[in-house]
Each structure stands twice: as C-alpha cells, then as structure tokens.
Amino acid sequence: MATNSENASIGMFASIADPHQSTNPEGWSACKSTKAVVVGIYGVPGSGKTFLLDQLKEELGQDDFVFYEGFKMIATLVPGGLDAFQKLEEGQKVYWRQLAIDTIGKTCAESGRVAVVTGHFMFWPEDEAGWQVCTQNDLDTFTHILYLDIPAEVVAQRRLDDVKRSRPSTSATHISKWQQAEKTELRRVCRNHGILFSLVSPHPMMLEQVSTLLHDFRRHTEKYNLSQAESRLNEIVAAGEGRLKAMLVMDADRTLAPQDTGTLFWQKVLGSAKDDADPLKTLFDSPLLYSYTAFRQAVLLYEETVDDEKFEAICQDVASSVAMYPEFVSLLQLVVEQEHVGAVVVTCGLRRVWEKVLEREGLSKKVAVIGGGRIADRFIVTGAVKAALVARLQTAHQIYVWAFGDSPLDLEMLTKADQAIIVVGEEQTRSKTMDVDLFNAIYDGSLRACQVVLPSDASPRLDTKMLPLIQLTSHEFVNSVLQRRRQNAGLQVLHATDRNAAKLLMTPMRDARNAGPVLREAHHRVGWYLATEFLASVIGMEEYSIPHVQGHQTSGHRLCNERETLIVALMRGGEAMALGVNDAFPLAMFVHAGRPDDIKLHHLQGQRTVVLVDSVVNSGKTVAQFVEHTRNLHATIRIMVVAGVVQAQSISGGSLAKLARHAELCLIALRLSDNKFTGTGVDIGKGIRFETLVTGSEVYLQLLGGRGSLELGEYDLKMRNNILPNEDENDLSSWGFLAFHPLSEASIFLWEKRPYSSELTSNLPEFHRIDLMTGSYFVKLVIFARIDHLAN
C-alpha cells in the first residue's frame, strides 16, 4: 500500500473527464509566455525526486526559483494534514490537489519566480490495478515536466534501502512496466496540452544537466528566441563589414538537398527507416503542429536521447549521407567569391548537420547556418522566425533578399523576400500540402514567386504560368543574383512639369469638353513627346544607315536596342499614350495589359527594356504591381514607367519609392501633381466598381472590376461626401457624368447636371446599357464648381 506522501502528491495527470483532448497550440504559445513557469519533477516513488530537489535548491538558490514537494503543499492546506487528506473521498481529494497547484501557480505568477514541484503521475501497487491522479488545473498550470528515468533495478534497491519512509516491496519488473506506462502516457498528454516534456537519465552530470534545463526554461520565450536568432544574424551580417547588398536566405532540408536530415538522424538513432518510428513525425502530427512549442520539444527529444559527443557523431554520419543539389553548389560557389552578395542557411532542422555538409563542399567559411538542435544553441527556428530574419535583413540592414524554400514552413519567409524561389523536388518526397498553401498565397496576392525543379526532369508545381520556371545555373539568373544593386537607389524621376511643352500638351487632356479622337490624340502626342525627349536620353541612341533624299547613304538614329524593347499599355488609360511611344520607337514590341499577369515570360525573353505606360499614376499601387510582376519574371530587365500625370506622393514615399529601394526604376512624367485623392470605390451593382481619382478640377472613375453588360437603369449611383475631402460644399454648384470610349468618335452620353448635395444620388433611366466585355469604357465625373485651387 502506498504511503500518505505518495498518495497525496500533486502535479499528476489523472483520468478526469477527457483530459487528453487537444487544445489550440497557438493559444498555448501565447499564454505560456506570459504566465508563471511551473516545472514538474516526476518519476516513480524511489526515483530520487526529493534528493534532486534538495540539490537544486542549494545549486540554484531561491532568487529566481522556488521549490515545492507536492505532498507537503497539500499538508499545509488541508486541515489535519496528510492524515486527514488520506481519509477523504476521492472527489474531495481532487479539490485539495486543485487548490495546491493553483496556489503554487498564483504565488509564482506574483513573484516572477520559477516553481519546481515534485509529484507523481500515477500509483500502481504490484498485483493491483494502477490509477492516475490529476486535475485539469494541473494541465493548465504546468509548463514543463522532467521525468527521472532511473533504471528499475536501481529504484527497486532504493526502495528497499529507504529507512525514512515505509515503502512496499516492488519488483524491478513491475517498476519497469510502471515507468514505461508513465513515460508513454506523459508524452502523449504533454503533446496534447502544450507542456514541454523530457526524460532525465542518471549520470555524474545530472544535476548540472537539470540546472541548465531549468535556467533555459526560466528565460526562454518566443520573444527571447527571436532576439537570439536575430543576434546570430547580426553577427553574420557584421562579418560582411558593411559590403553586403544582397543575401541568399535558404531553407536546408529538401531545398538544398533532397534529404530530410531530421528523418535521417532518427533512423540512425533508432535503426529503423519506418515513418511510425520517427518521433519528429509523431510530434509534428500532434496538436502542437509546427509551433514554437513543437520545435522546443524537438530540441528536448535530441537532448534526452544522446549526449553532446554522440550527437556530434550522428550529425557527422547524417551529413555524409546528404548530397546537395549540384545546381545549388555551383550557385553558392559563385556567391562566396563576391563581397557584395552573401548566403545564409536558415533551417528548422539541425544546424550541425548543415555546417558539416557545407564544410564538405568547401562553402562553410562564407555560408553560415542559423539553426538549432541543442539547448546550447539558445534558439530554435520556426516559419515565423525565418520570416522575421528576412524582414530584419531588409529593414535593419537594407539588404536585398533572395529566399529559397520548399514547404509551407517557408511561405512566410518567401512572402517577405524581395525574390522568392520555390524549390520543387521529386513528387514522392516533396511536401504534400504545399500545393494548396502555395496556390492560396499566390491567388490572394501575398506571394509572387518562381520555381526551380530539382532534378530537372521532376514535374513542376501548379502550372508554369502561375509559378514560372527558372534554372539556377542559367546565365540570366546568375547575373540577376550577382548584380550590384544601389543601396536605397530610389527613383530616377524625369518630368516636364514646368516646361512650356508640358503646359501646352496638358491643356487638351484636362479640358472636360474633349473626348473621343481629340482626347486620344492629346494622349498620343504626350506619349510621343515623352519618348523622344526623355526615354531616348535615358536609354540612349544608336546610329544606323539610311538612304538620303539626295541618293546617298547617311546616318540615322533610333533608340538603342529598339528591337529589344517592350512597350506595355496599361489598359485602358495608357493605350493612347503608349501608341504615341510606339510611334517614336516603331521597332519595339507592343503589348496590351489589363492586369500584371497579362505580361508573360515569352514577352520578356530577349528583351532589354520594358516601358510601362499609363495615363495617370496616383498612389502608384497599380504600376507597382506591374513592376513587381515583371521583376519576378525577369529580375534584371530595365523597367521604365511613362505617365501623363504622376502624383508626387507616389514617388516620395509611396509604392514606387518602396519598389526602387534595391533596384533601379526610372519614372518619366509630363507633369508631377501634389493633388491626389483615391476614394474607397463606388459600387453600382453586379460587382462593377469604380475607383475615384481627383486630378485638377476633375474626378475620374476608373473601372476596377466586372465583366458583361451593366443595366444602368436598375441601379443608383451614390457618391458620398468623401469624394472631395476638405472642401466646403458651398464651393460645389453642380455635377454630371460623362461616359466615353477613349478611341470613339464622340461621347456616348452626358447626363444632365444636377444640384450638388452631401450625398449625390442619380437614378439613371435614360441610358440602359454599357457593354463592358472588353473593359474599354471609362466613366468621367465632372464637377462643375469653383475648385480651380485644386489644380496645380
């Protein structure tokens, strides 16, 4: 029969109502970093828990730690002490166990100290049925559990030799079964409740080992973890002595090589290649998933399984089994020869394995590894940490980032990077869930990426339109990685705002009476002017032979590499102006693009320069999307943006300025304007939305979405007060709508002017149909009012 102290112990997980059901691992991660750290010291009776607790108390002191024996805490709370507790019904005992652990948790939360509590998981007298004792409060309080995994024979002998406590004789065989049951069940329970668990085996340095773990438990939070990872990154950047302008940030397992080194490690430890024998698979398949807590638990698995010397030996053995893709070896060999480009491996796996792999390839002196695997590493790497390190490179160090990854764990990092490369391996080894996550990230616009297929005969992910193919060893790709980028390059902005030519050219564009061919011709002339006056100067001219009117050959001039220039009309506002640019450079390729993905890879192949043409650049967001898409397809191509009117804010701190942080971008405009307003959009039914843009004394509504025909007669068009912010409505006398096709003979219709009110509402019965199949119609809202002060 168990003694009073054994039966009274707290911190034990009993068979209460469904205690092993999973909860939200993200919730654990958030709350465990703010609540008290409470560590359980577990083991069967006779394992030496009390002896270890006394040693820890002397070793660690009580400034940062406080030590409890579970049964003594219960004795202080229950009137009559342990004797009275033993006489209670089981339901009453649960109450006092809950109160004991709650008291410990509350005391430590108030003091900020770490609680170390001895306890039991279950009682199992020999030849009797065992039982678990616990409360839900235990599950909510404990953050860590250390289990003393003492050989059963040693425990049996200690129980016989114990003169202080009366312990029943128990065979080593039964103790072994008891221990195995506790370890198996505790692992499962802890995984399901976000509690870190580790075995502690007896050896001469056990006190030092447990002390090290407790110090780690005391300080380790997600915030601390990230600070340590960032500190390591800062060291790597500092080694570049300020010369680094670009960095390759690479995942390791199944990115640099087809193997998963974590799986290989456990195969060598366990001597089995079966997936169900891999403790990492069991861990990451649990409710913890791939959380911070899960990766911390993985480190404890490595720590409890092998000592430092054995760990090092197995890492060496694993490294010898890893064969890096030759394409990555070739690329990194070129990178390590550069002063302005660096490379770092950021892995959720084993740092030491990848350091050894890189050392074997002769890359370790220049390619660092950020990763964990041991408590001594001070941090673990999660998907969120990868993304944070990329962001730090960009913001704190102003470094352009190329990111390479293969799995959903890499998506945050890939999304943050300036250039994202998805590594796609053989179908049987690649991530099974990546396609869905990748599709969603690309579809919602958060990710623009290319893919590299390794080996080259493997099938690509998704389709090559959504995820274009590249080759790591192609001359074009290597040049794009190794090219020098200007730090904070900014925009090269050329404009004619104060020139007489701009004033003359802009007048017909701003005249509300102009439409159809007159307006088209005005935009056309602006395009030709900007091409000849500015584009030709930036890109350069080349001579070629032409026949002279007098019958001999002479020199003519054209745009340098004109045949290798692509003019893109951003539809539909940019078409007329783009045609003017094309008139100046007739040998250039011409493409219409209503959306960024209308620009295809084959449009850019063999080209040196892309000229994006739009009539008005407001926030710069639309043009920025086209620029980003073009760079994702061709990282080194020169991009020029040509526009009639450009809002000044877009180039001082808007989307275009951010894009030009690391790569050259030239913006050419007829006029810069300080006037800008982008409305939240006007919905006129059936998914058709217009975006408002104030330019001078007019408000343009640009078609944002919708296909098919729109029955205008059935809908109200509401224009709210925020169309013209900060204006006194007394300044606004009347308003009207003009719909037109920019290339048509005349306006389609003009609605009657109506008095202005704070909420403008127009029922539109007279004109019943605008065909939007081609998206070719604009709607122009003309404000007939005294608002000349809005114009520059």
Side-chain angles (χ1 to χ4, degrees):
M1 182 174 182
T3 65
N4 285 353
S5 63
E6 289 176 0
N7 278 299
S9 183
I10 66 169
M12 303 156 291
F13 295 79
S15 300
I16 62 173
D18 212 7
H20 309 312
Q21 290 300 307
S22 64
T23 55
N24 181 1
E26 293 183 4
W28 301 327
S29 182
C31 72
K32 290 201 181 290
S33 63
T34 56
K35 72 175 188 178
V37 176
V38 181
V39 183
I41 304 291
Y42 278 15
V44 298
S47 296
K49 299 183 294 296
T50 300
F51 180 75
L52 177 62
L53 193 74
D54 291 338
Q55 286 185 308
L56 290 170
K57 190 182 301 183
E58 183 176 343
E59 175 76 14
L60 301 175
Q62 299 194 52
D63 291 337
D64 298 316
F65 298 90
V66 58
F67 303 90
Y68 298 94
E69 287 193 77
F71 74 92
K72 289 184 179 179
M73 173 57 74
I74 290 177
T76 62
L77 295 173
V78 178
L82 289 180
D83 289 337
F85 176 81
Q86 290 297 332
K87 296 174 183 178
L88 298 175
E89 296 294 331
E90 187 59 34
Q92 294 173 304
K93 290 180 180 179
V94 168
Y95 167 79
W96 292 107
R97 290 184 182 125
Q98 288 178 329
L99 182 60
I101 195 64
D102 288 348
T103 301
I104 291 172
K106 181 179 179 181
T107 301
C108 292
E110 292 172 351
S111 68
R113 293 190 294 176
V114 173
V116 183
V117 186
T118 62
H120 297 277
F121 177 70
M122 65 182 294
F123 295 117
W124 193 0
E126 196 161 6
D127 300 325
E128 295 183 28
W131 69 95
Q132 298 176 15
V133 281
C134 116
T135 69
Q136 184 62 44
N137 301 49
D138 296 317
L139 305 178
D140 297 335
T141 302
F142 280 104
T143 56
H144 308 75
I145 290 178
L146 299 177
Y147 189 88
L148 301 188
D149 193 20
I150 311 300
E153 295 79 7
V154 174
V155 175
Q157 189 61 49
R158 285 180 180 174
R159 291 172 64 90
L160 290 174
D161 296 340
D162 192 343
V163 295
K164 293 184 178 179
R165 299 184 187 180
S166 173
R167 300 183 188 272
S169 175
T170 308
S171 69
T173 300
H174 179 72
I175 290 173
S176 180
K177 288 171 57 179
W178 185 351
Q179 289 175 320
Q180 190 57 49
E182 287 194 329
K183 289 185 289 186
T184 300
E185 195 64 10
L186 270 171
R187 283 198 193 280
R188 186 174 71 86
V189 170
C190 288
R191 283 197 303 266
N192 288 348
H193 292 87
I195 300 168
L196 293 179
F197 175 82
S198 183
L199 301 180
V200 177
S201 300
H203 58 81
M205 303 297 292
M206 188 174 77
L207 175 61
E208 182 179 342
Q209 177 193 5
V210 175
S211 297
T212 299
L213 288 173
L214 291 175
H215 279 301
D216 177 76
F217 297 164
R218 181 179 67 85
R219 65 173 174 259
H220 220 289
T221 63
E222 287 190 74
K223 182 178 180 180
Y224 170 85
N225 185 75
L226 179 58
S227 71
Q228 295 300 304
E230 288 180 335
S231 177
R232 175 64 183 130
L233 179 68
N234 292 340
E235 293 172 2
I236 294 168
V237 174
E241 298 179 346
R243 294 187 294 266
L244 289 175
K245 307 301 179 187
M247 183 76 83
L248 278 61
V249 179
M250 300 166 291
D251 174 49
D253 296 321
R254 292 187 174 151
T255 294
L256 296 180
Q259 293 86 8
D260 185 311
T261 59
T263 299
L264 290 177
F265 185 97
W266 287 103
Q267 286 176 358
K268 293 183 182 300
V269 169
L270 303 174
S272 172
K274 296 180 180 178
D275 278 350
D276 57 4
D278 185 350
L280 291 185
K281 184 178 187 305
T282 303
L283 172 62
F284 295 128
D285 285 345
S286 78
L288 292 176
L289 301 176
Y290 290 90
S291 62
Y292 161 80
T293 304
F295 283 105
R296 286 278 289 157
Q297 181 61 64
V299 171
L300 293 178
L301 283 172
Y302 289 117
E303 288 283 352
E304 74 176 45
T305 303
V306 293
D307 60 21
D308 291 343
E309 184 178 351
K310 183 66 173 176
F311 179 82
E312 190 75 8
I314 297 176
C315 285
Q316 181 62 57
D317 198 11
V318 171
S320 66
S321 303
V322 174
M324 283 183 66
Y325 289 119
E327 293 87 345
F328 269 111
V329 174
S330 298
L331 177 62
L332 290 173
Q333 286 173 340
L334 293 173
V335 167
V336 298
E337 295 175 357
Q338 313 298 315
E339 289 187 342
H340 67 290
V341 182
V344 60
V345 175
V346 182
T347 176
C348 298
L350 298 168
R351 173 182 61 86
R352 286 299 292 142
V353 169
W354 285 102
E355 286 178 342
K356 292 174 183 296
V357 171
L358 292 172
E359 183 179 10
R360 186 188 66 218
E361 300 293 344
L363 300 168
S364 58
K365 291 184 178 179
K366 290 292 188 70
V367 182
V369 180
I370 296 178
R374 305 295 278 179
I375 291 291
D377 290 319
R378 305 192 314 277
F379 62 89
I380 48 93
V381 174
T382 64
V385 168
K386 289 184 176 185
L389 295 183
V390 166
R392 185 165 186 81
L393 283 170
Q394 294 168 321
T395 57
H397 300 292
Q398 297 297 301
I399 290 176
Y400 191 88
V401 177
W402 295 77
F404 300 78
D406 75 296
S407 75
L409 267 176
D410 302 316
L411 278 178
E412 281 188 84
M413 170 183 75
L414 292 164
T415 301
K416 289 280 187 184
D418 297 291
Q419 296 286 342
I421 311 297
I422 312 297
V423 178
V424 181
E426 298 279 9
E427 284 195 55
Q428 61 268 26
T429 60
R430 69 177 64 164
S431 169
K432 301 301 186 294
T433 60
M434 182 62 164
D435 278 353
V436 173
D437 293 338
L438 191 57
F439 176 86
N440 290 335
I442 295 172
Y443 185 77
D444 68 19
S446 61
L447 174 67
R448 292 181 180 273
C450 296
Q451 63 177 316
V452 57
V453 176
L454 299 173
S456 58
D457 59 352
S459 61
R461 285 193 185 274
L462 304 180
D463 63 72
T464 55
K465 292 182 179 179
M466 177 175 280
L467 202 59
L469 280 168
I470 63 163
Q471 292 183 342
L472 294 182
T473 55
S474 70
H475 181 72
E476 182 178 85
F477 180 77
V478 171
N479 282 347
S480 66
V481 171
L482 300 185
Q483 70 172 321
R484 290 187 176 271
R485 291 177 171 81
R486 289 192 299 158
Q487 197 78 4
N488 293 318
L491 283 171
Q492 181 185 6
V493 180
L494 303 173
H495 63 95
T497 302
D498 297 324
R499 299 187 185 187
N500 289 332
K503 297 174 182 177
L504 292 171
L505 289 168
M506 200 67 201
T507 297
M509 294 174 64
R510 303 174 68 189
D511 192 333
R513 297 170 299 178
N514 290 337
V518 175
L519 189 61
R520 178 193 65 185
E521 182 58 30
H523 281 251
H524 190 281
R525 287 197 299 268
V526 169
W528 188 90
Y529 169 75
L530 295 176
T532 55
E533 181 69 16
F534 294 103
L535 272 174
S537 298
V538 175
I539 297 175
M541 304 291 291
E542 63 183 14
E543 291 186 1
Y544 69 106
S545 180
I546 60 173
H548 195 276
V549 293
Q550 296 179 349
H552 60 273
Q553 293 292 309
T554 188
S555 294
H557 293 83
R558 64 190 175 200
L559 188 70
C560 188
N561 301 308
E562 186 172 315
R563 294 182 185 275
E564 297 169 324
T565 299
L566 172 65
I567 300 169
V568 181
L570 273 57
M571 297 300 289
R572 299 284 274 182
E575 183 180 45
M577 196 173 295
L579 290 170
V581 176
N582 200 192
D583 272 1
F585 308 136
L587 300 180
M589 180 189 292
F590 189 94
V591 171
H592 292 88
R595 303 182 309 178
D597 57 11
D598 288 338
I599 302 175
K600 309 298 183 184
L601 183 60
H602 69 266
H603 292 144
L604 304 178
Q605 289 173 339
Q607 304 292 347
R608 292 174 180 260
T609 304
V610 174
V611 181
L612 303 173
V613 186
D614 203 357
S615 58
V616 177
V617 174
N618 185 23
S619 68
K621 180 179 178 180
T622 300
V623 173
Q625 291 172 345
F626 276 88
V627 172
E628 284 188 297
H629 175 73
T630 303
R631 282 186 178 154
N632 285 335
L633 295 180
H634 193 317
T636 60
I637 201 165
R638 176 166 49 185
I639 300 177
M640 321 287 287
V641 177
V642 174
V645 178
V646 174
Q647 302 300 334
Q649 185 176 343
S650 70
I651 61 178
S652 62
S655 299
L656 292 178
K658 294 175 183 176
L659 268 181
R661 180 168 58 88
H662 295 294
E664 295 185 15
L665 181 66
C666 182
L667 175 63
I668 295 171
L670 182 67
R671 184 170 68 92
L672 298 184
S673 173
D674 291 325
N675 297 330
K676 173 199 168 187
F677 174 70
T678 301
T680 57
V682 182
D683 193 342
I684 57 178
K686 292 189 176 180
I688 310 298
R689 287 182 62 79
F690 294 97
E691 181 177 326
T692 57
L693 167 64
V694 173
T695 303
S697 60
E698 298 171 353
V699 181
Y700 293 90
L701 284 79
Q702 181 181 358
L703 182 64
L704 294 181
R707 286 288 185 268
S709 298
L710 173 66
E711 300 291 340
L712 292 176
E714 300 176 8
Y715 298 97
D716 290 341
L717 179 58
K718 294 185 178 181
M719 304 295 295
R720 290 183 171 79
N721 230 0
N722 61 3
I723 290 299
L724 291 171
N726 304 321
E727 294 301 321
D728 187 336
E729 63 182 60
N730 293 327
D731 286 341
L732 304 176
S733 58
S734 57
W735 59 280
F737 290 93
L738 176 69
F740 65 95
H741 187 296
L743 304 182
S744 67
E745 290 297 322
S747 304
I748 298 176
F749 60 90
L750 174 64
W751 289 317
E752 177 184 357
K753 295 181 181 180
R754 297 169 185 267
Y756 174 83
S757 63
S758 61
E759 184 173 275
L760 305 177
T761 303
S762 174
N763 294 313
L764 313 174
E766 298 176 6
F767 191 87
H768 298 295
R769 198 175 185 89
I770 296 180
D771 187 356
L772 298 172
M773 287 297 292
T774 62
S776 58
Y777 290 97
F778 288 172
V779 176
K780 184 177 182 181
L781 168 61
V782 182
I783 303 293
F784 301 89
R786 298 187 304 276
I787 53 175
D788 294 336
H789 58 279
L790 282 179
N792 283 345

